[in-house]
Amino acid sequence: MTTKTLTRWGAAVIVSTALSSPVFAAMGNTASTYGLLPADVGTAMGLSMFNPQASALYYNPAYLTRDPRGELTVGLLHGDQELRAVSQGNPNGGAPSVIRDGDVLNDTMSQQQVIALKTDLTDMTKFEHPIYFAIIAGVEKFGEEMLAFDSSTSREGQFFNYGRQPLFLNLGGGLELANGITTGASAHISLRSEATLIASANLAGETQREELTVSAKPVIRPVLSMNLEWDKVFCGKEDCGIWTGLETAFAFRGHTEARTAVESNLTIPGTVIDPGITVLIDTIDSYQPDIFSAGLLYHFTDNFRAAVTVEQQNWSDLEDELARDTVKDQAFAEFKDIVVPRIGAEWTVNDHLILSGGVAYQESPLESIQTPDVNYLDSDKLIVGVGSSLIIQNPPILAYPLRLDFGYQFQKLEERDFELTTTRPGVANPYEVVTADGDVHVFSGAITVKF
């Protein structure tokens, strides 16, 4: 066995040990891919900026002030995707298709448990205006998996924006600045993990004198927002003509990423002596870009409201991040900033039932049809959602109303062709052309106790 072979073998041992994790994690997170609570899922996030529930903490923390009551929410989200790539053959001829097991590349389910708390902190302060605090957290596999992470290359191709999501954590609050003007801020917390592995091994792969150090540091990114109720701004509590029932909201969500850095060293006595084989890995996953949002809401009647929101997602910044990624840097992936329009509506049927729906269209931020070795796949998608809320005004035992929410969302990925390529020597690129598309079904339910 040559030293070169041992080097490859040792690197494989180190990487598989230090980066062992659940597969099919992906760029993006639950909040921006599907929605946090059923009201967000069921409106395709078209009403998320005007949702008074605790999820406003992420989309528009200023809107926490709209409902003075505290609330405790427990929710479950199930994302079921079938992401496909159909082979169009090898344009260079000869080599067989790398697409196996049919044409489904990813059907891994995303299952997240969400818990949220919102409360009024006014009694703890001397301020005249109410101050609302909230915290929301999400954990994958219904609470069993906190740090799903995967960063890899792929011969068959891998979808850019779907899969299990890591721990989601956001906390902050909102307050009223003036009549009709509210503002809010929160912190989105992600982790930067660092690992150091030192080991000695024999030729059979058995290690000894191992030393493994793992640490995680929080990375805090801001969410800032402002909401304006124009009738209160111009007319106070009086009727204000065309301004009555009109609201606007503005928000900024800072970019986040899950990042892992690994420094490994392996020696093989008598073959690979000290200082041994050193492997340095620094890679990211679950990236969310800077997002600027603006929304317009109108109350057509006391029972019906509708909103239009627009998001600018600055995905082009990801190019610099991947250039420093030791797993994906050879892909030279190119991204573009995109604008995502969303429309949502809500009808309060009576004191016990609320129906909602929404639609959105999101372009793919991935411009490259070739990303060597990594082979990213992504498509434009149409997003449609429906939801309902059942409000039990006088539930047994409880002194306050109980709310049951359900949301369903369907995402249709349009067909798009990609060329699979590699940096391996002796391979004629592209070695395969594939057509990617997919269907995603998302189900979400939650129980909210008001207090």
Side-chain angles (χ1 to χ4, degrees), residues 321-379:
E321 298 294 334
L322 291 184
R324 298 186 289 111
D325 189 306
T326 55
V327 175
K328 310 184 186 81
D329 57 337
Q330 77 279 8
F332 298 105
E334 296 182 355
F335 298 90
K336 65 179 179 180
D337 299 337
I338 60 173
V339 175
V340 182
R342 305 183 189 273
I343 300 175
E346 182 182 87
W347 176 34
T348 303
V349 180
N350 50 45
D351 291 340
H352 304 284
L353 180 63
I354 299 174
L355 301 178
S356 58
V359 63
Y361 185 80
Q362 183 171 337
E363 287 186 274
S364 169
L366 178 63
E367 287 195 297
S368 306
I369 63 171
Q370 290 187 357
T371 49
D373 294 329
V374 177
N375 291 315
Y376 271 140
L377 311 175
D378 195 44
S379 304

Side-chain angles (χ1 to χ4, degrees), residues 61 125 138 147 247 272 291 322 399 403 445:
T125 70
L147 297 175
E247 298 182 42
V272 180
I291 299 177
L322 291 184
R403 175 168 169 159

